[in-house]
Each structure stands twice: as C-alpha cells, then as structure tokens.
Amino acid sequence: MEKSKEFLTDGKLAILLVLVILVIDQIIKIEVKTNMSLGQAIHITDWFYIDFVENNGMAYGMTFINKLFLSLLRLVAIGVIGWYMYKVVKQGVRTRYVVFLSMILAGAAGNMVDSMFYGLIFDASTPFGISSFVPFGTGYADFLTGKVVDMFYFPLIVTTYPDWFPIKGGDEFIFFSPVFNFADASISVGVACLLLFCRKELETVSVGFSFRKRKDE
C-alpha cells in the first residue's frame, strides 16, 4: 500500500511537471513565431538577446541528421524515457530522480510538438514577414517535418581571436553562441542534475545493464 501511494504521488508530480514545462515552452515559442520575423533579434542586455531562429530539431540548433529520421528517433526516445519513468516510479525511487527525468522528457516532447504540428498550423517564417496560423494541414511542412523554434541567445563574451592564433587569428570569438529554447534548457538542466545529484540511481542502472549483459553472454 505504501509503495502504491508513493507511485501515485510521484506519478502525478511527473505528469504535472511535464505539462507545466510543455505549456511554458509552447507559449514562448508561439509568442516568438507570431510576433517576430525570422532572424529578428531583440536586445535585452549585452549578454542576452531574444533571437528568432528555426532549426531541424536537435538541441542548440545542430542539424546534421535528416529531419524525418530525427523526428522518428525522438519519438522512440520519448517512448523509452516515458516507459522507464513508469517503471522506476513504481519501484519507489527518490522524487528528485523522477523530477529530473520529467524535465528531460518534457524538453524532448516540447521540441517534438514543433516537429509534429508547427508545419501543419503555421505558414513559413521569413526575414520579411511574420508567421501566422493557417487552417490545419495547409502550413509550410508535413507532419513530423516542422521546424523547431529557438530564441534564447546568450553571447556572454564577444571578442576576437589574437592575431597570432592559428587560422582564426583576428576573427570574432563568441563564448556560448548557440541559440536555444526553453525545452533545450529543460533537457540540459535535467541531465546536469542527474549527473550531479542522482549518481546512486545512475549507478544502479549501469550495474543492472552490466549484469543483464553478462547473463546474456
């Protein structure tokens, strides 16, 4: 009975956290997409801009995998993470572990929403005009091939490479140049917190995997 009660508590917490992160992520993205032209940047401070860009969906704007394949891969990953969370919550793991896993799941799902639906419900964003909602299915891309909206840009240090620096001498150097979104941040914070505060659970997963591998051999 006690384990069942714990499952209900942590399970509801996980669902609530995923929903909250998804709602915040989508509100920010829709606000940016329907109020800014592609490439437009709003200067907040010298080290923080709202800079509207779009990409194929990898974290921090990486784009070296085919879009459709990436979307299918992400769907599989979301399913695996969700199944794993269900199993570990039933086992009564620490709440912090559930919270950090929920952040990762929510971030992955947030970017998946863009890929699944943005191409169906928006016309294309361009540097010359602002995107708007269109009738479902008449947007700029097919299902699973929509682009992910990014907007947070933190050029913490902007300088130039010294002249003596090989190849790059005299070129501009920007410390932390990727543009990312709330979902990316949720994934990154979740992963970092797992590594810092959940070594016990991660070691258990590693030991269990090694044991099953040796057993299969």
Side-chain angles (χ1 to χ4, degrees):
M1 180 67 67
E2 183 178 348
K3 181 170 287 189
S4 176
K5 184 178 180 181
E6 183 177 357
F7 168 68
L8 290 175
T9 301
D10 284 351
K12 288 180 179 179
L13 175 62
I15 293 171
L16 177 62
L17 185 58
V18 169
L19 290 176
V20 168
I21 292 174
L22 275 174
V23 168
I24 293 174
D25 179 61
Q26 289 303 309
I27 288 175
I28 295 172
K29 288 174 176 175
I30 292 173
E31 280 294 309
V32 168
K33 189 165 180 64
T34 58
N35 288 280
M36 297 177 65
S37 58
L38 190 64
Q40 180 181 350
I42 300 174
H43 179 269
I44 307 299
T45 71
D46 288 342
W47 48 269
F48 174 39
Y49 293 77
I50 302 297
D51 187 0
F52 176 28
V53 301
E54 291 182 314
N55 66 76
N56 281 340
M58 294 193 71
Y60 300 101
M62 293 180 285
T63 57
F64 54 83
I65 296 179
N66 175 268
K67 174 62 185 181
L68 181 59
F69 176 75
L70 178 62
S71 294
L72 293 173
L73 189 64
R74 185 183 291 114
L75 279 175
V76 172
I78 290 171
V80 170
I81 296 172
W83 173 84
Y84 175 71
M85 285 181 59
Y86 175 79
K87 300 293 287 186
V88 298
V89 170
K90 284 185 65 176
Q91 293 170 8
V93 296
R94 291 185 295 177
T95 299
R96 70 176 70 175
Y97 192 54
V98 176
V99 168
F100 301 148
L101 287 174
S102 298
M103 293 174 67
I104 296 171
L105 177 62
N111 285 335
M112 194 68 237
V113 169
D114 298 28
S115 298
M116 293 172 68
F117 299 115
Y118 275 28
L120 301 174
I121 64 174
F122 288 111
D123 55 13
S125 296
T126 73
F128 312 106
I130 296 174
S131 178
S132 60
F133 286 100
V134 297
F136 188 85
T138 63
Y140 68 88
D142 296 326
F143 184 63
L144 293 177
T145 59
K147 294 182 179 180
V148 174
V149 174
D150 290 333
M151 74 294 296
F152 297 134
Y153 177 43
F154 287 89
L156 300 178
I157 299 175
V158 180
T159 183
T160 58
Y161 287 97
D163 292 336
W164 51 263
F165 198 89
I167 302 176
K168 291 284 189 176
D171 291 349
E172 184 179 56
F173 168 78
I174 301 176
F175 176 74
F176 201 73
S177 60
V179 182
F180 60 98
N181 59 42
F182 191 78
D184 295 331
S186 180
I187 294 172
S188 298
V189 172
V191 170
C193 288
L194 281 179
L195 295 175
L196 290 173
F197 305 116
C198 295
R199 293 184 179 181
K200 175 183 176 182
E201 287 82 0
L202 294 177
E203 288 173 357
T204 300
V205 173
S206 178
V207 169
F209 176 77
S210 298
F211 175 76
R212 289 192 297 271
K213 186 176 180 181
R214 287 197 298 271
K215 188 175 181 180
D216 292 340
E217 292 173 351

